[in-house]
Amino acid sequence: MPIFVVLLLSVVAEIAVLVALGQAIGVLATLGLLVAGAVLGAWLLRREGRRTMVEFREAARLRRSPDREISDGVLIAAAGLLIILPGLLSDVAGLLLLFPPIRAVLRKRMLRAAERRSKEMQDQVWLHTQRVRRERGAAAPGSDVIDGEVVSVTEDDERVPGDGPRLLPPQRSAQAERSDEQPRG
Protein backbone atom coordinates (compact mmCIF):
# COMPACT_ATOMS: atom_id res chain seq x y z
CA MET A 1 0.00 0.00 0.00
CA PRO A 2 2.73 2.60 0.78
CA ILE A 3 4.35 2.08 -2.66
CA PHE A 4 1.03 2.76 -4.34
CA VAL A 5 0.68 5.99 -2.34
CA VAL A 6 4.21 7.08 -3.27
CA LEU A 7 3.59 6.39 -6.95
CA LEU A 8 0.30 8.25 -6.86
CA LEU A 9 1.89 11.25 -5.14
CA SER A 10 4.78 11.28 -7.62
CA VAL A 11 2.40 11.28 -10.59
CA VAL A 12 0.38 14.13 -9.05
CA ALA A 13 3.59 16.08 -8.33
CA GLU A 14 4.88 15.55 -11.91
CA ILE A 15 1.62 16.79 -13.42
CA ALA A 16 1.48 19.79 -11.08
CA VAL A 17 5.08 20.79 -11.93
CA LEU A 18 4.51 20.40 -15.68
CA VAL A 19 1.30 22.48 -15.54
CA ALA A 20 2.94 25.20 -13.44
CA LEU A 21 6.04 25.28 -15.65
CA GLY A 22 3.86 25.32 -18.80
CA GLN A 23 1.96 28.32 -17.48
CA ALA A 24 5.16 30.11 -16.45
CA ILE A 25 7.35 29.62 -19.55
CA GLY A 26 4.96 28.21 -22.14
CA VAL A 27 4.10 24.79 -23.47
CA LEU A 28 6.77 24.64 -26.20
CA ALA A 29 9.52 25.74 -23.82
CA THR A 30 8.40 23.12 -21.29
CA LEU A 31 8.46 20.40 -23.97
CA GLY A 32 11.90 21.64 -25.12
CA LEU A 33 13.14 21.45 -21.54
CA LEU A 34 11.87 17.86 -21.25
CA VAL A 35 13.56 16.85 -24.52
CA ALA A 36 16.82 18.59 -23.54
CA GLY A 37 16.79 16.78 -20.18
CA ALA A 38 16.26 13.43 -21.92
CA VAL A 39 19.10 14.05 -24.41
CA LEU A 40 21.49 15.26 -21.70
CA GLY A 41 20.47 12.34 -19.51
CA ALA A 42 21.08 9.80 -22.29
CA TRP A 43 24.54 11.25 -22.97
CA LEU A 44 25.48 11.28 -19.26
CA LEU A 45 24.04 7.80 -18.83
CA ARG A 46 26.28 6.38 -21.58
CA ARG A 47 29.35 8.20 -20.29
CA GLU A 48 28.94 7.23 -16.64
CA GLY A 49 27.90 3.68 -17.55
CA ARG A 50 31.07 3.20 -19.61
CA ARG A 51 33.21 4.71 -16.88
CA THR A 52 31.69 2.39 -14.30
CA MET A 53 32.22 -0.66 -16.52
CA VAL A 54 35.90 0.26 -17.00
CA GLU A 55 36.30 0.67 -13.23
CA PHE A 56 34.53 -2.67 -12.66
CA ARG A 57 36.90 -4.45 -15.06
CA GLU A 58 39.88 -2.81 -13.35
CA ALA A 59 38.64 -3.97 -9.94
CA ALA A 60 38.21 -7.52 -11.28
CA ARG A 61 41.68 -7.43 -12.84
CA LEU A 62 43.23 -6.29 -9.55
CA ARG A 63 41.14 -8.89 -7.67
CA ARG A 64 39.61 -6.38 -5.30
CA SER A 65 36.00 -6.19 -4.23
CA PRO A 66 33.93 -4.17 -6.73
CA ASP A 67 31.49 -2.86 -4.10
CA ARG A 68 31.79 0.74 -5.24
CA GLU A 69 31.40 -0.12 -8.91
CA ILE A 70 28.36 -2.32 -8.32
CA SER A 71 26.60 0.32 -6.22
CA ASP A 72 27.43 2.94 -8.87
CA GLY A 73 25.97 0.64 -11.52
CA VAL A 74 22.76 0.28 -9.53
CA LEU A 75 22.49 4.05 -9.08
CA ILE A 76 23.19 4.66 -12.78
CA ALA A 77 20.49 2.14 -13.73
CA ALA A 78 18.07 3.92 -11.38
CA ALA A 79 19.03 7.22 -13.02
CA GLY A 80 18.29 5.74 -16.44
CA LEU A 81 14.89 4.57 -15.25
CA LEU A 82 14.09 8.01 -13.83
CA ILE A 83 15.13 9.71 -17.07
CA ILE A 84 12.96 7.37 -19.15
CA LEU A 85 9.90 8.11 -17.00
CA PRO A 86 7.94 11.11 -18.27
CA GLY A 87 8.11 14.18 -16.11
CA LEU A 88 10.44 16.95 -15.09
CA LEU A 89 10.98 15.91 -11.48
CA SER A 90 12.03 12.40 -12.43
CA ASP A 91 14.39 13.80 -15.09
CA VAL A 92 16.02 16.11 -12.56
CA ALA A 93 16.37 13.27 -10.03
CA GLY A 94 17.86 11.03 -12.74
CA LEU A 95 20.33 13.72 -13.84
CA LEU A 96 21.40 14.28 -10.25
CA LEU A 97 22.09 10.56 -9.83
CA LEU A 98 24.45 10.69 -12.80
CA PHE A 99 26.87 13.08 -11.06
CA PRO A 100 29.67 11.20 -9.23
CA PRO A 101 29.69 13.34 -6.03
CA ILE A 102 25.98 12.75 -5.49
CA ARG A 103 26.42 9.03 -6.20
CA ALA A 104 29.27 8.92 -3.64
CA VAL A 105 26.99 10.32 -0.93
CA LEU A 106 24.17 7.95 -1.83
CA ARG A 107 26.60 5.00 -2.09
CA LYS A 108 27.78 5.58 1.49
CA ARG A 109 24.19 5.70 2.71
CA MET A 110 23.32 2.55 0.74
CA LEU A 111 26.30 0.64 2.15
CA ARG A 112 25.51 1.75 5.72
CA ALA A 113 21.89 0.67 5.29
CA ALA A 114 22.99 -2.67 3.79
CA GLU A 115 25.42 -3.28 6.66
CA ARG A 116 22.75 -2.45 9.21
CA ARG A 117 20.25 -4.74 7.48
CA SER A 118 22.85 -7.51 7.28
CA LYS A 119 23.56 -7.21 11.01
CA GLU A 120 19.83 -7.37 11.77
CA MET A 121 19.48 -10.50 9.62
CA GLN A 122 22.46 -12.17 11.32
CA ASP A 123 20.95 -11.40 14.72
CA GLN A 124 17.60 -12.83 13.65
CA VAL A 125 19.22 -16.01 12.32
CA TRP A 126 21.23 -16.42 15.53
CA LEU A 127 18.14 -15.92 17.71
CA HIS A 128 16.14 -18.35 15.59
CA THR A 129 18.93 -20.94 15.83
CA GLN A 130 19.05 -20.56 19.61
CA ARG A 131 15.28 -20.92 19.90
CA VAL A 132 15.29 -24.07 17.76
CA ARG A 133 18.12 -25.58 19.83
CA ARG A 134 16.24 -24.85 23.07
CA GLU A 135 13.07 -26.40 21.67
CA ARG A 136 14.95 -29.53 20.68
CA GLY A 137 16.67 -29.69 24.06
CA ALA A 138 20.16 -29.17 22.73
CA ALA A 139 22.76 -27.28 24.69
CA ALA A 140 24.18 -23.99 23.55
CA PRO A 141 27.00 -24.18 21.01
CA GLY A 142 30.37 -24.79 22.59
CA SER A 143 28.89 -26.41 25.70
CA ASP A 144 28.80 -30.04 24.61
CA VAL A 145 28.35 -32.48 27.46
CA ILE A 146 30.23 -35.75 27.23
CA ASP A 147 29.38 -38.47 29.76
CA GLY A 148 32.48 -40.09 31.16
CA GLU A 149 34.29 -41.35 34.23
CA VAL A 150 37.42 -39.83 35.67
CA VAL A 151 40.10 -42.26 36.80
CA SER A 152 42.95 -40.88 38.80
CA VAL A 153 46.27 -42.62 38.32
CA THR A 154 49.19 -41.43 40.38
CA GLU A 155 52.68 -42.75 40.92
CA ASP A 156 51.63 -43.85 44.40
CA ASP A 157 49.33 -46.48 42.91
CA GLU A 158 50.99 -49.88 42.89
CA ARG A 159 51.35 -51.51 39.55
CA VAL A 160 51.08 -55.24 39.55
CA PRO A 161 52.61 -56.79 36.41
CA GLY A 162 49.54 -58.77 35.43
CA ASP A 163 47.14 -56.07 36.56
CA GLY A 164 46.85 -54.22 33.27
CA PRO A 165 44.23 -54.40 30.61
CA ARG A 166 43.79 -57.85 29.16
CA LEU A 167 44.28 -58.22 25.47
CA LEU A 168 41.65 -60.40 23.86
CA PRO A 169 42.20 -62.31 20.62
CA PRO A 170 40.41 -60.73 17.66
CA GLN A 171 36.92 -62.01 17.06
CA ARG A 172 36.22 -63.79 13.84
CA SER A 173 33.22 -63.01 11.76
CA ALA A 174 30.48 -65.55 11.15
CA GLN A 175 31.39 -65.72 7.48
CA ALA A 176 35.02 -66.57 8.29
CA GLU A 177 33.89 -69.36 10.61
CA ARG A 178 31.61 -70.83 7.93
CA SER A 179 34.40 -70.85 5.39
CA ASP A 180 36.62 -72.80 7.83
CA GLU A 181 33.94 -75.51 8.27
CA GLN A 182 33.65 -76.23 4.53
CA PRO A 183 35.92 -78.97 3.28
CA ARG A 184 38.64 -77.80 0.99
CA GLY A 185 38.86 -79.64 -2.16
Side-chain angles (χ1 to χ4, degrees):
M1 185 67 180
I3 291 178
F4 178 72
V5 173
V6 170
L7 288 174
L8 185 64
L9 289 175
S10 66
V11 168
V12 170
E14 289 283 4
I15 292 172
V17 167
L18 285 176
V19 168
L21 192 62
Q23 289 176 349
I25 64 172
V27 173
L28 288 178
T30 302
L31 290 176
L33 193 59
L34 286 173
V35 169
V39 169
L40 177 65
W43 178 75
L44 282 172
L45 192 62
R46 286 184 77 172
R47 187 185 77 165
E48 292 301 315
R50 283 185 185 152
R51 180 181 294 167
T52 301
M53 281 303 296
V54 167
E55 290 173 357
F56 182 81
R57 285 188 197 125
E58 185 67 16
R61 188 180 69 77
L62 295 175
R63 295 184 185 263
R64 70 172 172 80
S65 178
D67 295 341
R68 188 176 74 80
E69 291 79 10
I70 290 174
S71 60
D72 273 355
V74 168
L75 290 172
I76 290 170
L81 180 67
L82 288 171
I83 289 171
I84 289 173
L85 292 175
L88 191 64
L89 294 176
S90 63
D91 285 353
V92 170
L95 289 172
L96 288 175
L97 280 177
L98 291 175
F99 290 112
I102 293 175
R103 278 200 319 267
V105 170
L106 289 175
R107 180 184 333 115
K108 288 178 185 176
R109 293 188 72 182
M110 281 175 45
L111 289 176
R112 262 188 267 132
E115 287 172 357
R116 186 173 48 249
R117 182 70 179 142
S118 173
K119 177 70 173 134
E120 289 173 2
M121 291 297 290
Q122 288 174 354
D123 291 345
Q124 287 177 0
V125 167
W126 187 82
L127 289 172
H128 176 72
T129 304
Q130 295 304 311
R131 184 173 48 88
V132 168
R133 286 177 189 241
R134 272 194 312 272
E135 288 173 359
R136 292 183 181 166
S143 64
D144 294 333
V145 177
I146 300 173
D147 289 335
E149 192 175 300
V150 176
V151 177
S152 175
V153 177
T154 62
E155 291 184 24
D156 296 339
D157 294 339
E158 292 182 24
R159 294 199 53 103
V160 177
D163 195 25
R166 277 189 8 202
L167 296 177
L168 299 175
Q171 293 184 350
R172 298 179 60 164
S173 68
Q175 182 180 8
E177 289 176 10
R178 271 186 258 125
S179 65
D180 287 343
E181 293 172 4
Q182 294 175 355
R184 295 185 185 193

